[in-house]
Amino acid sequence: MTTYVGKPVRRVEDHRFITGRGRYVDDIKLPGMVYAYIVRSPYAHAKIVSIDTSQASTAPGVIAVLTGKDLEADGIGGLPCGWQVNFRDGTQMKEPRHPVIAVDKVRHVGEPVAVIIAETREQAKDAAELLTIEYEELPAVVDPQKAVEDGAPLVHDDAPRNLAFDWEIGDKAKTEAAFQEADRIVELELENQRLVPNAIEPRAAIGDYNPGTDHTTLYTTSQNPHLIRLLLCAFVMGLPEHKVRVVSPDVGGGFGSKIFHYNEEVIVTWAARKLKRPVKWTAERSESFVSDRHGRDHRTKVQLALKNDGTFLGLKVQTYANLGAYLSTFAPAIPTYLYGTLLQGVYTTPAIYCEVYGVFTHTVPVDAYRGAGRPEATYLLERIVDLAARELNMDPADIRKKNFIPPFDGIEQPGYQTQVALQYDSGNYEAALNRLLEMANYSEWRRKQQELRSQGRYIGLGLAAYIEACGIAPSAVVGALGARAGLYDSATVRVHPTGKVSVYVGVHAHGQGHETTFAQIVADKLGIALEDVEIVHGDTAEIPFGMGTYGSRSLAVGGSAMVRALDKILEKATKIAAHLLEAPESDLEFREGKWYVKGTEKSISFPEVALAAYVPHNYPPDLEPGLEAESFYDPKNFTFPFGAHLAVVEVDPETGEVKLLDYYAVDDFGNVVNPLVVEGQVHGGIVQGVGQALYEEARYDENGQLLTGTFLEYAMPRADEFPMFKVDHTVTPCPHNPLGAKGAGETGTIAATAAVANAVADALQPFGVKHVPMPMTPQRVWTAIQASQQVS
Amino acid sequence: MFPASFDYRVAESIDEAISLYQSADGEARYLAGGHSLIPAMKLRLARPSRLIDIRPIEQLRYIRVGDDGAVHIGSLTTHAEIAASDVIAQHAPLLAQAAKVIGDVQVRNMGTIGGSLAHNDPGADYPAAVLALEATITVQGPNGTRRIAAADFLKDMYETALEPGEIIVDVAVPSYSGWKSTYVKFFHPASRYAVVGVAILANADGNQVQDIRIAYNGVASCAFRDTAAENVLKGTTVTDTAIAEAANAALNGVDALSDHFASAEFRKHIGRVYLKRALQGLFAG
Ligand SMILES: Cc1cc2nc3c(=O)[nH]c(=O)nc-3n(C[C@H](O)[C@H](O)[C@H](O)COP(=O)(O)OP(=O)(O)OC[C@H]3O[C@@H](n4cnc5c(N)ncnc54)[C@H](O)[C@@H]3O)c2cc1C
């Protein structure tokens, strides 16, 4: 029996957010604080000929004008990359210096070139206009396929053909053989376009230095404060880690973009130490567009070999992944280990081969963005599967069912070994699809589609069956794959003498609702009230070393650490209880917050035991006082949430407008702690996924200027474009973590893009349109119809 | 996103506003709803040295039928007020039809008709409507008062007939009680401005058209009347064929705007399809 777990408990953190009492980095005002304005490159590629600071330095309120040369003179290093992916032939990944502030050259629009520090942010910005920077513009390249061509402008002189790495996975020979024996081969060229994450809170950072104690504090909008502290101390600034504190207070959304170690974090920390005053920087929205790490940006050719009965025989994928101008913190992992390894999908395809070229271009660095690699894998798989169904005249649901991996629970039946390195934990893919088809009344929609077509109306149904690797990640496994860090997590449970509990977690919440969901688990486990538990995160001075939040890892990894720590608490508390009840431990029974002597009403409550632990005059003789426990949990495997989504769209063929009529989702996250929070994650993810399918695009011109650099041009999805979603879930517990949880943060973005893309293609089948590039704007849809009408 | 520094002054009357304009060093700008000016200032595309806030001038805030029988709208009247006005619904519903699809609730509650016309954004929604309605815009400035026909007022992208220091005070629209009208809009998904907006105003007895006005905004650098399309329908009985012919006639020779979201060709295509559909809707029965 649980009181809280599994229940739709309302989020306890919402009260402070809704009443404006959240405390974000920009809300923090320290005595004597000054403001940094960052002057950024207006060019995608240029030599910095000279910087004349004389006028800016004497502008009102200006305290300092700092450049990349000043930073280098102070011995500050470049930004490190946390993951190594080598070339196929074993040569090391090209990892050119990633300067905090550009020195001789700029390599993307938005790269920091100088920093103005002034008493007010207005003064800093005004002074920036007085800074004279002479540039010599150079030719730029923005398209990853063009960047590898001979004669393309080089982003880094030491990375020939602009390649950071080329990478492969799977069995090439076996796949070629499968293609030989296939009845048919279906192929498609796809672009998974570049996106700007656009968290509602812009990034911000404050550096603060106390010369008396030599302590440095960095407040930053980060998803993983410990990682930032480690990188800052060990790689970039060489600061003593025990004297550095990194605080990520309330953070208003991240979607991956706040994982990475950013230039501005170094700049404010360095400037604060140099000037001995707190230094704050807050991004303006236009800065966010050209400095937050972008997402996606793949050009892919995919081929599926199959039998005429619809059985998949082999899959070949070739991808050019745009990495931008520099390697961001996790960049190499995203288009490789979080992408190529997911190409098995939920299908039994017996032979898979994938090669990926990681390419530098004169654009903002690309890194993890909600889903990170897995939406890209799912998009191409689900598109090609739909196209195969169409060519074979099969229903898209049927071709999927024909190829699904059969159910396995990971306990009785072993995990499923894929062709691309991973072993899935547990899955029942057909059950999720069946539930979806039933919930959506799929066959009725198909009937309606026929009926409407005869009236000249074109609706389309788009399925996406997906899997994702979450709960990142077993350290030994990812270490072998090039990760330069382990990906365990941690929790400290501190029981106070009155029986109230604080839990310090290494994961970080920036919209996920941990303060509620984690507390639900604690309250149930200890039999106390939810309000007697507080979850603390985001401050390296308070929490144990943790890796933060991304990759839907918090509950599966951080939550598991917490459960382990709670087990330790209960183990010790039981010893205390046994002593106080004067009964052997084996005679005790713990239920609803009390230890009972079995078969009697004699009991002692959790707060009484807690008090005894801290006031130990009547106490087990060989037991340490206190009631606090810590655990570090390194998962045994990834977790593999999965599910099936259905989008229903109507396309107006005359104008190309697409309307989302209905949306259904059935996901399997393993055990669910809070269905309300999970549903919120699913809804947000779907909207974001549909955003990619229909609206969003970071589009550069050939000179590397971002054409969609404001919300006037960059279309975010809006509430009035959406129907109410119908969501449900199946439950296939994760067999290898104590919660049986798989993770729920990214599924929407993974499935929805593909589902909507399939729906639009399905609607346009009568016009012979095979594929519409994303975002599927009216013009693109209309152009696709025009083009295929001309062919036929 | 914060602007360059400026001097902020509040005007209680039109005369005071004009004299604050005249006494300014450098460029002065009037501030109405601020929903075009403030974003431009935050991007530092506009950097006036003085802002003269005209919002307290209550005499610029009205909607009434004048002695001339026309509907008079004070320049500070918000989009929301126009959308909700009974007077406008009766005499010039086309204006309300345009106002209703401007931006979002916040924009409609803040933005004003004077500000919109003075700004003359190619993607704004009022310009096509005021052209179709043959509105007259009254401006007051250092050299007195002028009355300008909408067609003469709207000159080009962000360009109007306003002389330095002139304030729009009144927009007058003749009564079109009994006419049919509609405004249809193809939104930009990001800005929600019009990529194409078509305003139609017709004096018709059933499908028998005496007079018709068709105006576009969004398509080109400035809003315009499409007389070729009008001429196809004027004085005829509207049929599907006539509608198709009018749509075909529309936008010929127009130098359409072009960007990556909508090419010139696509804009014109949408302009014709939207015109066709709007006419079909208007003459459906
Ligand atoms: C998010 C967003 C979406 C929008 N979407 C749309 C849309 O879909 N359709 C649309 O039409 N508009 C849209 N707008 C613009 C909006 O309608 C503005 O309110 C309008 O364009 C300007 O009116 P304002 O009162 O805000 O003028 P302000 O911004 O105050 O001023 C604009 C310009 O006009 C001048 N000015 C203002 N009043 C007068 C006057 N009485 N006499 C002389 N000069 C004057 C100012 O000096 C300034 O140069 C949008 C705006 C935003 C912020």
Side-chain angles (χ1 to χ4, degrees), chain A residues 166-232:
Chain A
D166 69 27
W167 177 85
E168 62 181 353
I169 193 165
D171 190 329
K172 190 174 187 179
K174 190 170 154 191
T175 307
E176 292 298 349
F179 272 70
Q180 290 300 317
E181 68 184 57
D183 291 335
R184 68 171 66 218
I185 291 161
V186 188
E187 69 173 60
L188 203 53
E189 286 187 27
L190 300 163
E191 180 176 338
N192 199 294
Q193 85 273 25
R194 178 184 283 246
L195 302 175
V196 181
N198 282 325
I200 195 162
E201 179 207 22
R203 287 189 298 115
I206 304 169
D208 184 24
Y209 180 61
N210 180 340
T213 58
D214 194 32
H215 275 115
T216 306
T217 305
L218 168 66
Y219 300 88
T220 179
T221 50
S222 177
Q223 300 177 213
N224 36 218
H226 266 119
L227 189 72
I228 302 306
R229 191 184 69 173
L230 175 61
L231 295 175
L232 193 65

Side-chain angles (χ1 to χ4, degrees), chain A residues 712 718, chain B residues 28-39 51 54 60 75-76 79 98 101-104 107-108 110-121 123-127 162 166-169 185 187 190-194:
Chain A
L712 273 177
R718 307 197 198 204
Chain B
R29 291 286 272 279
Y30 298 120
L31 175 70
H35 270 48
S36 290
L37 184 52
I38 303 284
L51 270 196
I54 59 173
L60 294 179
S75 63
L76 284 178
H79 312 331
V101 291
I102 294 175
D104 50 38
V107 174
R108 292 193 290 273
M110 288 299 290
T112 67
I113 188 167
S116 178
L117 293 174
H119 191 58
N120 197 17
D121 192 305
D125 295 298
Y126 282 136
L162 281 171
E166 282 185 328
I167 296 181
I168 299 179
V169 292
K185 175 177 182 181
F187 291 84
S191 69
R192 296 266 168 127
Y193 276 89

Side-chain angles (χ1 to χ4, degrees), chain A residues 18-69:
Chain A
I18 290 168
T19 55
R21 290 189 171 84
R23 184 168 173 267
Y24 298 87
V25 173
D26 193 59
D27 294 324
I28 298 171
K29 293 187 176 60
L30 302 174
M33 190 163 77
V34 295
Y35 296 83
Y37 179 80
I38 296 176
V39 181
R40 296 176 185 277
S41 171
Y43 298 112
H45 191 198
K47 268 194 192 124
I48 302 172
V49 179
S50 64
I51 302 179
D52 179 358
T53 60
S54 54
Q55 262 194 299
S57 334
T58 55
V62 170
I63 295 158
V65 180
L66 303 170
T67 65
K69 289 211 170 100

Side-chain angles (χ1 to χ4, degrees), chain B residues 240-266:
Chain B
D240 281 351
T241 327
I243 288 176
E245 236 175 89
N248 271 339
L251 298 173
N252 286 327
V254 168
D255 187 10
L257 297 171
S258 187
D259 59 32
H260 68 87
F261 177 74
S263 67
E265 184 199 2
F266 184 66

Side-chain angles (χ1 to χ4, degrees), chain A residues 417-696:
Chain A
Q417 182 59 50
T418 72
Q419 299 296 318
V420 276
L422 298 176
Q423 191 182 48
Y424 293 167
D425 57 349
S426 58
N428 190 347
Y429 311 121
E430 185 159 354
L433 180 63
N434 284 338
R435 174 71 195 110
L436 177 79
L437 299 178
E438 173 198 50
M439 174 169 79
N441 208 344
Y442 180 75
S443 47
E444 172 58 20
W445 271 117
R446 282 282 176 218
R447 198 195 55 70
K448 216 166 171 178
Q449 178 179 41
Q450 287 308 324
E451 183 184 309
L452 288 171
R453 267 185 201 170
S454 62
Q455 300 167 19
R457 286 180 59 193
Y458 298 89
I459 66 166
L461 310 187
L463 284 173
Y466 72 92
I467 189 159
E468 57 161 333
C470 291
I472 298 176
S475 297
V477 176
V478 295
L481 301 180
R484 290 162 171 170
L487 288 163
Y488 55 84
D489 227 289
S490 63
T492 298
V493 176
R494 179 174 300 160
V495 181
H496 303 289
T498 53
K500 313 283 185 207
V501 178
S502 300
V503 183
Y504 303 85
V505 293
V507 294
H508 186 275
H510 34 277
Q512 293 84 349
H514 296 169
E515 289 169 44
T516 308
T517 53
F518 280 50
Q520 286 175 257
I521 296 169
V522 177
D524 269 0
K525 198 92 181 150
L526 303 180
I528 58 180
L530 193 70
E531 51 273 22
D532 290 345
V533 182
E534 184 163 70
I535 305 297
V536 180
H537 63 91
D539 185 344
T540 63
E542 291 191 283
I543 61 171
F545 196 100
M547 301 306 294
T549 286
Y550 38 83
S552 304
R553 67 190 302 276
S554 298
L555 187 63
V557 184
S560 295
M562 186 178 74
V563 169
R564 291 274 182 87
L566 288 167
D567 285 340
K568 292 183 193 175
I569 294 286
L570 283 177
E571 198 186 324
K572 183 170 180 183
T574 305
K575 289 197 170 79
I576 303 169
H579 177 87
L580 296 173
L581 290 168
E582 298 173 338
E585 277 178 61
S586 54
D587 278 5
L588 298 192
E589 185 179 32
F590 182 65
R591 57 173 203 269
E592 281 151 32
K594 283 183 178 165
W595 286 264
Y596 290 87
V597 178
K598 276 182 204 160
T600 76
E601 280 306 297
K602 208 174 148 194
S603 71
I604 188 162
S605 70
F606 183 79
E608 288 172 290
V609 169
L611 188 64
Y614 290 95
V615 188
H617 45 71
N618 178 11
Y619 201 67
D622 43 8
L623 200 64
E624 284 180 9
L627 197 52
E628 175 163 331
E630 182 168 80
S631 178
F632 282 70
Y633 179 82
D634 201 336
K636 294 193 194 70
N637 189 2
F638 293 90
T639 61
F640 295 90
F642 60 89
H645 288 204
L646 174 72
V648 185
V649 302
E650 176 162 5
V651 180
D652 181 333
E654 208 178 4
T655 62
E657 289 164 287
V658 177
K659 187 171 162 51
L660 188 62
L661 297 180
D662 228 333
Y663 198 96
Y664 305 88
V666 173
D667 299 285
D668 196 316
F669 308 115
N671 292 334
V672 168
V673 172
N674 185 327
L676 188 64
V677 166
V678 161
E679 200 171 312
Q681 290 286 319
V682 173
H683 279 232
I686 291 169
V687 168
Q688 228 164 343
V690 175
Q692 172 165 29
L694 296 181
Y695 309 112
E696 298 185 43

